[in-house]
Amino acid sequence: MTRTAPDVRREDAIGVPPARPTLVPAHRYYSAEFAGLETERMWPRVWQVACTVDHVAEPGDFFEYRCGSYSVLIVRGDGGVLRGFQNACRHRGNSLCSGAGSGLREVRCGYHGWTWDLAGQLRRVPNRKGFGELRLHDLPLVAVAVDTWERLVFVNLDRDAMPLLDYLEEMPGDVAWCRLGDFRCYATMTIDVDANWKTIADGYSETYHIQTLHPELHRCMDDVYAPQRIWGHTGKSEQVYGVPSPQLKEQLSDAEVWDAYVSTQGALMGVEEGTPLPDDREPGASVADVIAARTRTFAASRGVDLGWATTDQVMRLHQYNVFPNMTLLANADHLTVMTSHPGPDPDHGELVMLLWSRIPPGSPRTKPVDVRMSADEAHPGLVLTQDISVLPGLQRGLHQPGFTHLTLSNEERRVINMHRNLERYLDLPEAERMTGGESGA
Ligand code: FES
Ligand SMILES: [Fe+2]
């Protein structure tokens, strides 16, 4: 007798419930000492998304990536080689570049004029004789590991770090069907928020909050059968859209599911709020089929052929988490990447959204538009605005003296996995580690 593999798509988001909740000490979300440990032991040793290939496509293109106090200069050299350097002059430490731009021929410090070529070799030192014997080749810019995966540029301050592809584990193979290289980043949005970088990242690492924080979304997505995987540094959640949540008490009509989808994500299929469910659908077509068809039609209007994509490939969101701070959300027609960074103190951080659209293969690319704004100014759609609005209250609550630890469900195991990795990088003593969460009998 042959045994068929279990249907992972019918797995729920909880998986196998643990014997007890996982308890995470709250202070790691606001303690300056803990943030100091992160700065010392974690951030300089992990691969982080810095920008996109479209930011640094041509020789002379550069991009300054900042994460907390760290600053990395990414520059495309004359031979087309992409390099990264710690953004510090070797004379007295001045930052060499800020922001992003093009046409860089050399890297010249604006303070006293020390100048490097784009390969990081020191070429000129004004009044050099005043230093005595100073050899130019002793003072190159300090290199940082740089690598790309699809259209994302990653950096790691640790030049001995494991290769990026090893770090990403199962993710590249798992999402290969989606051909992410055909997407173009058209904008990045950096939003300053009153919350720790982990508070921000936790928000895109679980689907447990959807039933409460996102009532509109709850009417058009399945947050119950949303299976999760944990690989190591990385993990995954799958969510099907265009269906009502099985948790809803009321029976929704197809038109109501359509309306909920339009109000939360209608832009993905070029449909404005208030547009009714089309009444010309084929017999047997589900609402998800109708939404997928409209999405394909909208893509075709931009010259993008989605004829290859099934309804499931259009409507199932594949969400990946990469330690420490990144999520990537993709389906056949959609790609968004989000990261979070430390701010000036542990109670502040920034949410960075990289926004993409699929383009016809071979079509020209342009540099993304990079914008920065406060949380009050940002309105990145109904659902994300809800996600952002909860952050300051969450951060404040974490400080309250009676709130000693977070109590986490297995449904939040991508959050737990982030802490598991964090504890490993920080090498926390046993007494400071999270507790509970043992697997059930
Ligand atoms: S600090 Fe850069 S040249 Fe002096
Ligand atoms: Fe959310």
Side-chain angles (χ1 to χ4, degrees):
M1 195 179 95
T2 54
R3 299 184 61 180
T4 50
D7 183 357
V8 293
R9 298 191 167 178
R10 292 308 288 175
E11 272 181 36
D12 69 13
I14 295 172
V16 180
R20 53 188 61 80
T22 296
L23 306 183
V24 177
H27 83 275
R28 57 177 76 172
Y29 283 80
Y30 56 81
S31 145
E33 190 189 347
F34 194 87
L37 269 187
E38 292 174 345
T39 300
E40 177 194 326
R41 299 183 185 174
M42 190 275 286
W43 290 112
R45 293 168 55 206
V46 291
W47 284 101
Q48 309 162 47
V49 169
C51 64
T52 75
V53 175
D54 295 321
H55 284 99
V56 283
E58 301 295 329
D61 285 353
F62 68 94
F63 187 94
E64 184 209 8
Y65 167 66
R66 281 194 206 176
C67 181
S69 53
Y70 294 111
S71 171
V72 173
L73 171 61
I74 297 154
V75 59
R76 175 92 54 189
D78 297 331
V81 181
L82 199 56
R83 296 184 180 88
F85 304 107
Q86 295 185 21
N87 189 9
C89 174
R90 302 237 18 211
H91 175 219
R92 274 168 51 197
N94 188 29
S95 296
L96 294 165
C97 288
S98 66
S102 306
L104 198 68
R105 306 283 302 273
E106 56 187 21
V107 179
R108 182 171 177 271
C109 179
Y111 202 178
H112 313 90
W114 286 31
T115 303
W116 290 261
D117 64 22
L118 299 190
Q121 294 307 308
L122 182 58
R123 294 298 179 198
R124 285 196 304 281
V125 172
N127 304 350
R128 186 169 149 198
K129 71 177 182 203
F131 293 91
E133 186 187 1
L134 179 143
R135 292 178 306 204
L136 298 185
H137 64 259
D138 284 344
L139 293 162
L141 294 178
V142 179
V144 163
V146 177
D147 204 352
T148 61
W149 171 70
E150 297 291 6
R151 307 289 297 178
L152 292 168
V153 177
F154 288 78
V155 297
N156 192 325
L157 272 78
D158 178 6
R159 297 201 67 208
D160 297 322
M162 70 167 78
L164 174 64
L165 268 186
D166 292 347
Y167 190 91
L168 297 178
E169 299 164 344
E170 304 293 316
M171 181 175 83
D174 197 80
V175 77
W177 66 275
C178 207
R179 301 204 308 265
L180 298 181
D182 289 344
F183 285 84
R184 179 180 76 85
C185 179
Y186 59 90
T188 74
M189 197 187 284
T190 301
I191 303 168
D192 292 302
V193 294
D194 297 340
N196 186 269
W197 70 270
K198 298 184 291 298
T199 314
I200 302 167
D202 289 355
Y204 49 69
S205 303
E206 47 91 357
T207 50
Y208 180 44
H209 70 274
I210 288 168
Q211 56 188 313
T212 308
L213 185 62
H214 304 310
E216 298 85 358
L217 193 63
H218 203 222
R219 293 163 74 85
C220 62
M221 76 160 284
D222 185 344
D223 58 333
V224 174
Y225 296 102
Q228 301 189 72
R229 290 284 171 272
I230 301 293
W231 289 307
H233 283 109
T234 61
K236 181 186 186 189
S237 155
E238 292 183 17
Q239 303 138 36
V240 172
Y241 288 76
V243 295
S245 167
Q247 298 205 66
L248 289 177
K249 303 267 185 311
E250 52 183 316
Q251 184 86 28
L252 293 193
S253 69
D254 284 355
E256 287 171 317
V257 175
W258 165 271
D259 289 345
Y261 189 86
V262 169
S263 70
T264 52
Q265 293 151 94
L268 298 179
M269 53 177 182
V271 170
E272 285 179 21
E273 181 107 39
T275 306
L277 174 66
D279 54 11
D280 59 350
R281 66 172 136 160
E282 299 190 356
S286 64
V287 193
D289 289 328
V290 174
I291 294 171
R294 285 299 288 257
T295 305
R296 284 189 210 96
T297 306
F298 183 53
S301 73
R302 308 188 315 262
V304 172
D305 173 24
L306 280 185
W308 55 272
T310 63
T311 291
D312 187 73
Q313 287 174 314
V314 177
M315 301 309 295
R316 181 181 296 266
L317 190 67
H318 298 251
Q319 178 180 13
Y320 300 88
N321 290 82
V322 180
F323 180 77
N325 63 339
M326 169 193 164
T327 190
L328 179 150
L329 306 108
N331 67 30
D333 187 48
H334 182 73
L335 174 61
T336 299
V337 175
M338 291 193 278
T339 62
S340 67
H341 298 141
D345 61 54
D347 286 323
H348 293 87
E350 55 185 38
L351 167 65
V352 183
M353 301 171 59
L354 288 77
L355 308 171
W356 308 71
S357 60
R358 195 184 273 288
I359 55 172
S363 46
R365 294 171 175 275
T366 48
K367 282 208 180 208
V369 177
D370 301 311
V371 295
R372 176 167 208 124
M373 61 192 69
S374 69
D376 293 339
E377 296 164 330
H379 299 287
L382 178 69
V383 175
L384 270 161
T385 302
Q386 291 166 337
D387 284 317
I388 291 169
S389 67
V390 81
L391 291 173
L394 193 47
Q395 188 66 29
R396 202 177 315 116
L398 285 159
H399 278 271
Q400 304 312 305
F403 186 82
T404 55
H405 51 262
L406 293 73
T407 303
L408 300 180
S409 157
N410 207 46
E411 197 168 357
E412 297 163 296
R413 63 190 180 277
R414 284 175 291 144
V415 176
I416 295 170
N417 191 49
M418 185 275 291
H419 282 284
R420 189 179 297 124
N421 278 298
L422 186 58
E423 291 180 350
R424 196 160 53 82
Y425 276 87
L426 302 191
D427 196 19
L428 289 188
E430 198 59 38
E432 290 177 29
R433 298 202 169 205
M434 56 187 172
T435 57
E438 299 88 353
S439 54

